[in-house]
C-alpha cells in the first residue's frame, strides 16, 4: 500500500510539473491556431500594412543589439570582479539590483536625462544632449542597462561550475596577460554556456509591451505594439492579422536563435585568430573601464529612485529643487486608489512566487530521483518563447473555457514565469549539494523525508529565499499576462503605472513606479536577512 501511494505521489507530482512547464508551449500552439478562415488577401493586407517592415527591423535590431551589448558589458564587469575582493560585495548586491523593474529603469532614464528631466533641469544640460522621451535609442539603453545584472547572475552560476582560475593560470603560463587570458580561454566557454540566457533576454526584448508603449518609438511603433493591437481587436480582419503576425513573431525568434549561433561562431573564430597570430586584443584593454561598474550602477539606481521620489512629492520640470514646494499630497490623494492594485499585486506575487518555487523544487527532486536531468530549455520555455504569442494562446483557452476574470486566473498566468526563473536560480545549488551529508544521515537511521527536510531543505534555504525574491519581482513586473488574462479587471501596481504613464501625469506615475520598485526590494531585503541567519544552520537531532 505504501509503495502504491509513493508511486501515485510521484506520478501526480510529475504531471503537475509537466503541466506548469508545458503551459508556454500550449499557449504558443493555441496562439498559432487560425481563429478565422484565411485568404491570400489577408496575407497581402498584412504585408502592405503601413510601416510594418520598419517596425519589424527596429524590433529585430533592438532584440539583437541590447542583449548582446549587455552580455559583453557583463563579461567585462565579470572579468574585473571575479577574482577581486569586490566580487562578494557584487554578488550580494546583484539580487537587489535585479529587483529594479525594467519599467522603472526605462522611465527613470527619461525622468533623469530627457529634456525637462531632473539632470537637465539641475545643471542645464544642452537640449541636444538630452535623451529622447520616446525613441529606439532610449529603449535600447534602458534594456541594455537592465540586462547586465541578469547576465552577471548567470555568469556567477556558471563560474562556480567552470575551472576559470585554472584556465587563467594556463594562459599566464603561455605568456598571455590576465586580461587576454579571459578573452582567449574564458570568453568562448561562457559564450557557449550562456546561450539560453542570451535567448531569454532576446525573446523578452522582442515581445516586451509596457516599455515599448511608454518609451519606444511612435512612428512606426515596435512590432510588439502592432501585434498587441491586432490581438485585442474584435473584427475578423484584426484576428487574421494577429494570426499572421504571431507566425512572423515566431519566425523572428528563429532568426534570433540563428543569430546567437552565428555571433558565437564569428566571435570565437575572431578570438582564435588573434590568439594564433599573437595579435593584441583591443577589447581586453576595455576591462578597466568597468572596474567601478557596481558603484556606477548603484549610483544610477539610487538616482532613479530619488528622481521618482522628488516627482512624487511635487517637484516638476518647471521648478528648481531648492525652490520646489515638496509635500506628500499626491501620496495621500492616491492612497485610496492604490489600495486595490497594491493588495492584488501582493497577493498575486506572493502566491505565484510560492507556487513557482515549490514546483521548481519538485521538478529538481523528481529528476534527481530518476537520476536523469532533462535539458534546461524544456523547463525555461516561459522565458525562451515570446510572451505575446504565449499569453494570446492562454487568452484563447481562457475564453473557450468561459473562465472568469478573477485573481486566480492571473496567478495561474504568472506561475510559468515564476517557475522558470526559480528553476534557473535553484538548479545550481540543488545539484551542488554534497550527497555525503544525506548518506551520513541515512547511516544513522533517518528516513528519506527526514533527510530531505533536515539536510537538503536546510542547505537549500538561502537559495530558496533568493529564488522566491526573484520570482516575486518577476511577478510584480508582469504586464502582458496580467492585462490580457485579467482583461483589465484585475488591476495591479504595474498595470496602473503603465495606464497612468500613458498620459501626462508624471507625478502620479512616479508614485506608482516607486511602489513597484520598492516592493520587490523589500522582499529581497527580508530574504537576504533570513538567508544570512539560515546559511549553514543544519541542526540534526537524533531520536
Amino acid at each position: 500500500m505504501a509503495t502504491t501511494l509513493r508511486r501515485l505521489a510521484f506520478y501526480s507530482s510529475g504531471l503537475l510539473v509537466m503541466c506548469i512547464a508545458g503551459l508556454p508551449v500550449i499557449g504558443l500552439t493555441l496562439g498559432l491556431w487560425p481563429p478565422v478562415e484565411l485568404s491570400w488577401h489577408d496575407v497581402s493586407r498584412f504585408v502592405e500594412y503601413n510601416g510594418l517592415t520598419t517596425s519589424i527591423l527596429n524590433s529585430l535590431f533592438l532584440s539583437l543589439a541590447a542583449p548582446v551589448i549587455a552580455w559583453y558589458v557583463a563579461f567585462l564587469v565579470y572579468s574585473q570582479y571575479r577574482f577581486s575582493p569586490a566580487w562578494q560585495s557584487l554578488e550580494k548586491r546583484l539580487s537587489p539590483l535585479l529587483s529594479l523593474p525594467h519599467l522603472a529603469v526605462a522611465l527613470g532614464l527619461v525622468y533623469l536625462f530627457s529634456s525637462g528631466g531632473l539632470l537637465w533641469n539641475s545643471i542645464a544640460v544642452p537640449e541636444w544632449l538630452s535623451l529622447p522621451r520616446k525613441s529606439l535609442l532610449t529603449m535600447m539603453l534602458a534594456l541594455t542597462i537592465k540586462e547586465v545584472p541578469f547576465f552577471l547572475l548567470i555568469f556567477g552560476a556558471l563560474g562556480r561550475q567552470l575551472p576559470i582560475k585554472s584556465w587563467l593560470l594556463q594562459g599566464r603560463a603561455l605568456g598571455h596577460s590576465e586580461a587576454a587570458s579571459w578573452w582567449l580561454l574564458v570568453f568562448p566557454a561562457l559564450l557557449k554556456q550562456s546561450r539560453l540566457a542570451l535567448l531569454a533576454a532576446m525573446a523578452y526584448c522582442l515581445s516586451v509591451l509596457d516599455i515599448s508603449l511608454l518609451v519606444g518609438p511612435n512612428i512606426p511603433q515596435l512590432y510588439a505594439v502592432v501585434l498587441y493591437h491586432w490581438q485585442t481587436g474584435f473584427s475578423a480582419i484584426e484576428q487574421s492579422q494577429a494570426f499572421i503576425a504571431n507566425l512572423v513573431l515566431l519566425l523572428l525568434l528563429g532568426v534570433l536563435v540563428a543569430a546567437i549561433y552565428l555571433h558565437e561562431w564569428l566571435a570565437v573564430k575572431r578570438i582564435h585568430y588573434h590568439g594564433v597570430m599573437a595579435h593584441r586584443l583591443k577589447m581586453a584593454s576595455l576591462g578597466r573601464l568597468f572596474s567601478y561598474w557596481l558603484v556606477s550602477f548603484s549610483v544610477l539606481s539610487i538616482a532613479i529612485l530619488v528622481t521618482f521620489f522628488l516627482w512624487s512629492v511635487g517637484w516638476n520640470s518647471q521648478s528648481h529643487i531648492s525652490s520646489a514646494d515638496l509635500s506628500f499630497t499626491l501620496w495621500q490623494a492616491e492612497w485610496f486608489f492604490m489600495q486595490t492594485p497594491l493588495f492584488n499585486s501582493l497577493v498575486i506575487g506572493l502566491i505565484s512566487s510560492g507556487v513557482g518555487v515549490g514546483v521548481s523544487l519538485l521538478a529538481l527532486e523528481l529528476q534527481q530521483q530518476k537520476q536523469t536531468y532533462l535539458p534546461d530549455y524544456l523547463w525555461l520555455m516561459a522565458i525562451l518563447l515570446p510572451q505575446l504569442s504565449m499569453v494570446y494562446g492562454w487568452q484563447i483557452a481562457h475564453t473557450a473555457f468561459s473562465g472568469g476574470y478573477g485573481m486566480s486566473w492571473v496567478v495561474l498566468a504568472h506561475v510559468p514565469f515564476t517557475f522558470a526563473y526559480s528553476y534557473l536560480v535553484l538548479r545550481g545549488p540543488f545539484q551542488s549539494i554534497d550527497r555525503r551529508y544525506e548518506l551520513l544521515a541515512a547511516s544513522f537511521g533517518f528516513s528519506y523525508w527526514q533527510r530531505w527536510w533536515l539536510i537538503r531543505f536546510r542547505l537549500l534555504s538561502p537559495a530558496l529565499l533568493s529564488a522566491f525574491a526573484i520570482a516575486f519581482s518577476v511577478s510584480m513586473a508582469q504586464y502582458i499576462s496580467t492585462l490580457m488574462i485579467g482583461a483589465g479587471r484585475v488591476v495591479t501596481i504595474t498595470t496602473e503605472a503603465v495606464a497612468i504613464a500613458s498620459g501626462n501625469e508624471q507625478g502620479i506615475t512616479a508614485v506608482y513606479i516607486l511602489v513597484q520598485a520598492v516592493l520587490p526590494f523589500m522582499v529581497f531585503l527580508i530574504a537576504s536577512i533570513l538567508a544570512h541567519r539560515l546559511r549553514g544552520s543544519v541542526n540534526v537531532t537524533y531520536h
Side-chain angles (χ1 to χ4, degrees), residues 65-369:
V68 169
I69 294 172
W71 192 97
Y72 276 94
V73 172
F75 178 77
L76 289 167
V77 173
Y78 185 66
S79 66
Q80 293 299 307
Y81 279 84
R82 179 62 183 93
F83 296 109
S84 72
W87 173 246
Q88 289 186 346
S89 177
L90 175 60
E91 275 200 312
K92 290 178 182 178
R93 288 175 171 82
L94 269 182
S95 294
L97 292 176
L98 279 169
S99 69
L100 195 63
H102 286 78
L103 186 60
V105 173
L107 289 178
L109 292 176
V110 171
Y111 281 27
L112 261 175
F113 301 111
S114 67
S115 176
L118 181 63
L119 188 66
W120 184 86
N121 182 274
S122 301
I123 60 176
V125 176
E127 190 158 354
W128 62 274
L129 280 176
S130 62
L131 194 67
R133 298 185 70 86
K134 288 178 71 68
S135 71
L136 192 65
L137 172 64
T138 304
M139 189 168 174
M140 188 171 74
L141 187 62
L143 291 174
T144 301
I145 290 173
K146 187 62 181 71
E147 293 301 332
V148 172
F150 170 69
F151 285 122
L152 284 173
L153 184 70
I154 300 298
F155 291 165
L158 292 175
R160 286 187 282 271
Q161 302 170 19
L162 300 174
I164 294 179
K165 184 173 286 188
S166 300
W167 291 345
L168 295 178
L169 289 174
Q170 292 172 17
R172 295 299 296 269
L174 292 172
H176 299 292
S177 66
E178 183 172 340
S181 300
W182 272 97
W183 285 96
L184 292 171
L185 302 175
V186 182
F187 172 83
L190 280 182
L191 189 59
K192 180 180 179 180
Q193 294 291 329
S194 58
R195 286 173 187 162
L196 287 181
L198 197 56
L199 178 59
M202 288 181 176
Y204 174 82
C205 294
L206 183 63
S207 62
V208 62
L209 182 61
D210 49 354
I211 304 176
S212 301
L213 285 168
L214 297 181
V215 301
N218 275 336
I219 304 175
Q221 294 175 315
L222 290 175
Y223 189 67
V225 180
V226 176
L227 173 56
Y228 174 72
H229 289 327
W230 282 331
Q231 287 179 344
T232 52
F234 294 100
S235 67
I237 293 176
E238 289 172 316
Q239 290 299 302
S240 63
Q241 298 293 79
F243 168 72
I244 300 171
N246 277 322
L247 284 177
V248 173
L249 188 64
L250 196 60
L251 290 175
L252 293 179
L253 184 67
V255 172
L256 294 178
V257 173
I260 289 174
Y261 282 95
L262 179 62
H263 164 261
E264 182 182 323
W265 180 75
L266 290 174
V268 173
K269 184 178 180 181
R270 188 68 176 171
I271 289 292
H272 285 169
Y273 171 78
H274 282 289
V276 171
M277 301 302 294
H279 288 171
R280 181 174 177 270
L281 288 167
K282 296 180 180 179
M283 289 290 290
S285 59
L286 291 176
R288 300 187 191 91
L289 299 176
F290 298 91
S291 301
Y292 301 98
W293 176 88
L294 177 60
V295 175
S296 303
F297 193 88
S298 300
V299 168
L300 177 62
S301 301
I302 293 171
I304 287 174
L305 295 176
V306 169
T307 302
F308 284 135
F309 175 76
L310 290 174
W311 275 95
S312 71
V313 294
W315 181 86
N316 56 66
S317 56
Q318 281 74 45
S319 61
H320 196 271
I321 297 178
S322 59
S323 60
D325 185 16
L326 306 181
S327 68
F328 288 91
T329 305
L330 276 178
W331 287 88
Q332 295 170 355
E334 284 301 313
W335 173 244
F336 176 79
F337 303 101
M338 191 190 296
Q339 291 180 46
T340 299
L342 181 60
F343 175 77
N344 290 345
S345 296
L346 287 172
V347 172
I348 294 170
L350 293 173
I351 295 176
S352 63
S353 302
V355 173
V357 172
V359 175
S360 62
L361 190 60
L362 191 59
L364 289 164
E365 183 64 31
L366 292 174
Q367 290 177 94
Q368 192 208 31
Q369 288 188 20

Side-chain angles (χ1 to χ4, degrees), residues 394-410:
W394 295 345
Q395 187 184 44
I396 292 173
H398 180 254
T399 304
F401 287 115
S402 301
Y405 297 102
M407 201 183 299
S408 57
W409 290 101
V410 178

